[in-house]
Amino acid sequence: MDTPSAAVDIPARDAAAGSTIVATLSHSPGKLADVVDVFREHSVNMSRIRSRPSAVNAEEYDIEIDVNGVDEETFSSLITALPAKRVTHLATNDVPWFPRCEADLDESVKDVWGYGAELDADHPGFTDEAYRARREKFAETAYSTRHKDQMPRFEYNEEETATWRTIYTKLKELHPTHACKEFIAAFNLLEARGVYSPDTIPQLAEVSDFLQSSTGFRLRIAPGLISSRSFLNALAFRTFFCTSYIRHSSTPMYTPEPDVCHELLGHVPLFANLEFAQFSQAIGLASLGATDDDIKKLATLYWFTVEFGVTREEGGIRAYGAGLLSSFGELQYCTSDEPEHRPLDLEAAATQEYPITSFQPVYFVADSFANMATALHSWAMRLDRPFAVTFDPYTRRVIVLESKQEIMRLIKNVNSELSILTRVLEHVL
């Protein structure tokens, strides 16, 4: 039987200003109605309510409820009266809403900043009615696809395929002299598996399957440019928001926004690299519930690493950033002596100003993906967030570490992994 449970105390939070309450209930008929009755008795309105299976116990489920404008005395009484096994809360004025499971990413698809089906007047395809109609079709498909749906297949026409072929061929010519060895290895594997070729734009479903079998990453189609917060949040689930439309054929070597060429020829190959995948997911986990200032830092860090990162390899500069590897001109420029190359310092990179309409004057040089991931974990601990999160790869859910039960569960899992490693080392050594 569920009994009222006191909320976990989280310092420096103003519950009255707005909170998300998570009540964990057993699978018993009428439990949700009992919770609703408590809110009614306390005259507290719910602005949003959603339920999901508990990530801690398969026989329980979590009810997540948003409330606003509640005084502290009423809030405390409400929490105490809730007929739940556990109750936790996050103050929404301090902690922005963030996804806890992949189903929540359905909300992120709607958080589009720009482009998609709407094009600016200076966009190469603005006056091309046929191109605009195609973009609308791609955007509609992305908006209507949910996390449980099969990835849709796209029929690209001859003009689109010709644009892909031009870009693919030109960029691949530069791989041996300008791309890092990890990118080249992954790109060659994509070709060997028949996923990539210059004559066919890959189906995102097949690319996603390849990544999932390699590192657990998967693709999710986006209608356009997703906001920084929503885009980074998805990385926590090893999910990459990927556009499906292609740039206008009149400018095959230029696009004002991410397109399928940028995504597949720039981003995707390195998501098949385990250390790079870990680094990308670490940025995503750090973004969950982060302040707006920290989101800006994380987005800037992402810009100077995942988008425009370079590394030193055999005495020379090689690119691993997608913005470089999908740009014929900047890929040549970034490895030259013209721009400034600085050693990668995460705090410096996270606060560095950058242009978005011209080549970068400054690039940060990483020594290895493994060191990047280790440094990021330490750096992210200093961000202004009153809790920690971890990702459960079995349920593909985010666990907020703010209760003793959740922390003990994580410790138990870590101890189990350490026991396995100890036994293996005993045999090896």
Side-chain angles (χ1 to χ4, degrees):
M1 179 176 179
D2 294 341
T3 55
S5 170
V8 174
D9 288 328
I10 306 173
R13 301 216 181 162
D14 181 7
S19 289
T20 296
I21 300 170
V22 181
T24 301
L25 311 175
S26 62
H27 278 291
S28 301
K31 287 298 178 184
L32 178 57
D34 293 341
V35 169
V36 173
D37 285 342
V38 171
F39 277 82
R40 183 183 297 111
E41 290 165 4
H42 286 76
S43 300
V44 175
N45 290 324
M46 297 178 286
S47 59
R48 178 173 63 175
I49 181 170
R50 54 174 67 186
S51 66
R52 60 171 63 89
S54 171
V56 177
N57 188 330
E59 297 181 355
E60 300 171 347
Y61 65 102
D62 294 335
I63 303 297
E64 187 175 295
I65 305 165
D66 289 354
V67 299
N68 291 286
V70 185
D71 63 80
E72 292 186 11
E73 183 178 349
T74 301
F75 186 85
S76 178
S77 175
L78 171 73
I79 292 296
T80 303
L82 283 173
K85 290 189 172 182
R86 293 182 304 280
V87 180
T88 58
H89 79 274
L90 295 173
T92 55
N93 62 313
D94 289 333
V95 181
W97 178 89
F98 59 89
R100 305 295 183 92
C101 64
E102 286 185 298
D104 290 343
L105 297 183
D106 289 346
E107 296 296 316
S108 301
V109 173
K110 307 170 187 175
D111 195 12
V112 180
W113 269 4
Y115 296 108
E118 298 298 325
L119 306 183
D120 289 341
D122 59 351
H123 192 284
F126 181 75
T127 60
D128 186 335
E129 293 299 328
Y131 179 78
R132 290 171 68 100
R134 290 285 287 167
R135 288 287 293 261
E136 288 179 6
K137 181 179 179 182
F138 283 117
E140 288 170 2
T141 301
Y143 278 124
S144 62
T145 302
R146 295 293 177 261
H147 80 288
K148 288 185 177 180
D149 296 340
Q150 276 193 334
M151 182 82 79
R153 298 185 66 84
F154 300 95
E155 298 298 328
Y156 294 98
N157 59 40
E158 292 183 7
E159 182 180 12
E160 292 165 336
T161 302
T163 300
W164 165 267
R165 185 183 301 111
T166 297
I167 300 166
Y168 189 106
T169 304
K170 277 187 167 292
L171 289 174
K172 192 177 178 185
E173 290 173 357
L174 295 179
H175 285 176
T177 53
H178 293 74
C180 70
K181 61 180 182 295
E182 292 88 350
F183 180 88
I184 294 173
F187 196 97
N188 290 342
L189 184 57
L190 280 158
E191 288 189 322
R193 296 280 180 85
V195 182
Y196 276 18
S197 83
D199 299 319
T200 305
I201 301 176
Q203 290 296 325
L204 298 187
E206 295 174 9
V207 177
S208 186
D209 288 344
F210 170 84
L211 290 179
Q212 194 168 349
S213 66
S214 301
T215 62
F217 252 90
R218 58 182 67 174
L219 303 183
R220 176 78 188 263
I221 58 172
L225 189 62
I226 301 291
S227 76
S228 295
R229 181 180 294 278
S230 292
F231 180 84
L232 296 176
N233 282 180
L235 294 177
F237 298 86
R238 297 208 171 199
T239 296
F240 178 71
F241 274 114
C242 179
T243 55
S244 54
Y245 53 80
I246 194 166
R247 64 194 66 180
H248 195 261
S249 60
S250 64
T251 57
M253 304 313 296
Y254 166 77
T255 177
E257 85 274 50
D259 73 330
V260 74
C261 295
H262 170 76
E263 319 284 36
L264 299 187
L265 300 178
H267 280 289
V268 159
L270 279 179
F271 284 130
N273 177 277
L274 183 59
E275 292 172 337
F276 185 84
Q278 290 171 336
F279 174 76
S280 299
Q281 184 180 28
I283 291 181
L285 288 168
S287 76
L288 298 176
T291 64
D292 289 343
D293 287 343
D294 285 341
I295 287 293
K296 182 179 179 181
K297 279 189 172 185
L298 288 163
T300 304
L301 181 60
Y302 183 92
W303 179 273
F304 281 110
T305 54
V306 180
E307 287 289 357
F308 290 95
V310 297
T311 185
R312 197 170 298 279
E313 191 176 294
E314 298 178 356
I317 297 295
R318 296 291 183 268
Y320 69 86
L324 302 173
L325 291 161
S326 61
S327 170
F328 187 79
E330 191 159 5
L331 184 54
Q332 293 174 300
Y333 165 83
C334 75
T335 59
S336 71
D337 295 330
E338 187 173 348
E340 181 182 357
H341 296 103
R342 300 177 187 173
L344 178 60
D345 175 276
L346 298 187
E347 183 62 27
T351 54
Q352 175 68 35
E353 296 292 331
Y354 60 87
I356 60 174
T357 58
S358 62
F359 291 170
Q360 303 301 304
V362 175
Y363 297 98
F364 288 90
V365 185
D367 52 7
S368 74
F369 296 148
N371 288 347
M372 284 167 56
T374 301
L376 180 63
H377 282 296
S378 299
W379 179 79
M381 293 297 290
R382 303 196 298 269
L383 297 179
D384 184 19
R385 189 173 60 177
F387 57 88
V389 297
T390 187
F391 179 72
D392 185 340
Y394 304 107
T395 62
R396 294 186 66 87
R397 291 173 176 273
V398 165
I399 309 299
V400 179
L401 300 175
E402 57 183 1
S403 73
K404 180 178 179 181
Q405 182 178 8
E406 289 158 348
I407 294 171
M408 292 303 298
R409 177 172 173 267
L410 180 61
I411 291 173
K412 192 176 296 184
N413 289 342
V414 171
N415 286 337
S416 177
E417 296 292 335
L418 286 174
S419 297
I420 294 172
L421 290 173
T422 301
R423 289 198 297 271
V424 172
L425 284 173
E426 288 173 352
H427 287 87
V428 172
L429 301 177

